[in-house]
Amino acid sequence: MSTLITYSPKLIGEINNKIVAISECLSGNLPKDIDLIGGKAGIALFWAYYSRFSKSVDLEKKLSPIISEIFQGIRQSYISPTFAGGLAGIGWMIEHLNQNDFIEIDTDSILDSFDEALYPVMLKMMTTGDYDYLHGALGIGLYYLNRKSNPKSALYITELVNELDKHTEHFPHGFTWESRLLREEDEMIYNLSLSHGIASIISVLSSFYEANIDCERISNLVNGAINFLLTNKNDIKLSKYFFPSYIYKNHDYKENLGRLAWCYNDLGISMALLKAAMIFNNEHWKQEAINVLLHTTNIIKWNDTKVEDAGLCHGCTGIAHIYHRSYRYTGIEKFKDSAIYWFNQSLKMADFKDGLAGYKCVKPKKYGGICDEYGFLEGIAGIGLAMISAVSDIEPEWDNALLLN
């Protein structure tokens, strides 16, 4: 891995001040939600890494009430099984904190009940083709990968891969899977994204392969999925982005609108390719990923980027963190320059006087419009984590939740 990016003293000072401002906001009233992506579990991640950034933090004092409130919430009402919104993500967070020595806890005594509850749900999701990473079976699979102390975890993952294999659609140029997301009446799609689509399948399967689980079958599936992606690239003369968001199944139409973001299009997909290339030692995949990433560094016009806020999902810090990771993996100077550019833009986004540390999240009106967001994926907890990773030598293991590690 390459050396860390050296930022200017001015930028470091501004980022440090913003991290402190975020910590102050997260010291007050927290959201009622307890999940990883938008709720208290994601905020617990922030405090864990902030405790290594700022030695003055009493981590146990910060985490104990948050974790207590999370489990109180689980006992009091129904909680989704998913990685984004429920038990899988919360369980992943608990294991993550324990394995990275943020807390000392007997995770088996807490999570054994999660293991038993999530397994049949994961299989049911897969039998209906619901592989979605954030909201379906793959996210539960990532939780089991983190449950190394459970001897059944590898078996559960093998069953997930078996069901995924059954739902594979074969083409002369590779494999793919039908997506349940954005389905309208009889319109079927193949989603290519890292958040919900084929790129997430490639990334999660690569992690399973690295853990020496069902390697022969996974190698076949990853090869087929990457071939499908690479043969469905856009003509870059006609589109700003190489990869479409999705492809319509019943007529050969690609959705060519794009954005610069973790969730959809070139950044997230190229990171899945780069991860697979490193794990499978495939130079062709690595060069494809680097070429796409290098192309994205030239997309800085706001109308082309579609950037509206600073969050990890589709905002400035998510973009900056991906370039930061790309530089550390490859040593390519252009990625360093782009990380610096986008961290600067993330600071400029903090211009709301009534915002959280100056930030607000921009959502479609039906989902809340311009609003305060505390959480990990779209809010200030995630912004703070990316900034901590920028100006410290703390390894950002937290970004495995975004399939970037």
Side-chain angles (χ1 to χ4, degrees), residues 32-42 70-71 73-75 77-95 111 113-115 117-118 121 125 132-136 139-140 142-144 376 401:
K32 294 181 179 179
D33 294 335
I34 63 174
D35 59 87
L36 174 63
I37 293 304
K40 291 184 174 71
I70 288 171
F71 281 95
I74 292 172
R75 289 191 296 268
S77 61
Y78 168 78
I79 302 297
S80 162
T82 66
F83 191 82
L87 291 180
I90 292 169
W92 179 91
M93 180 272 294
I94 295 293
E95 275 287 13
L111 299 179
S113 60
F114 283 36
D115 296 346
L118 288 171
V121 176
M125 286 175 169
D132 190 292
Y133 168 61
L134 288 178
H135 307 296
I140 299 176
L142 189 68
Y143 160 77
Y144 282 124
F376 171 67

Side-chain angles (χ1 to χ4, degrees), residues 186-207:
D186 294 329
E187 193 69 82
M188 307 301 179
I189 64 168
Y190 303 123
N191 189 307
L192 274 61
S193 73
L194 185 58
S195 52
H196 304 289
I198 296 167
S200 66
I201 294 176
I202 292 168
S203 184
V204 173
L205 288 181
S206 296
S207 293

Side-chain angles (χ1 to χ4, degrees), residues 151-170:
K152 294 182 180 179
S153 290
L155 175 62
Y156 293 162
I157 290 170
T158 300
E159 298 230 21
L160 168 62
V161 175
N162 181 52
E163 287 297 326
L164 188 67
D165 193 10
K166 290 179 184 178
H167 285 81
T168 303
E169 297 191 25
H170 294 251

Side-chain angles (χ1 to χ4, degrees), residues 169-176 223-224 227-228 231-232:
E169 297 191 25
H170 294 251
F171 287 83
H173 53 272
F175 306 156
T176 189
N223 272 276
N227 287 340
F228 182 86
T231 54
N232 278 285

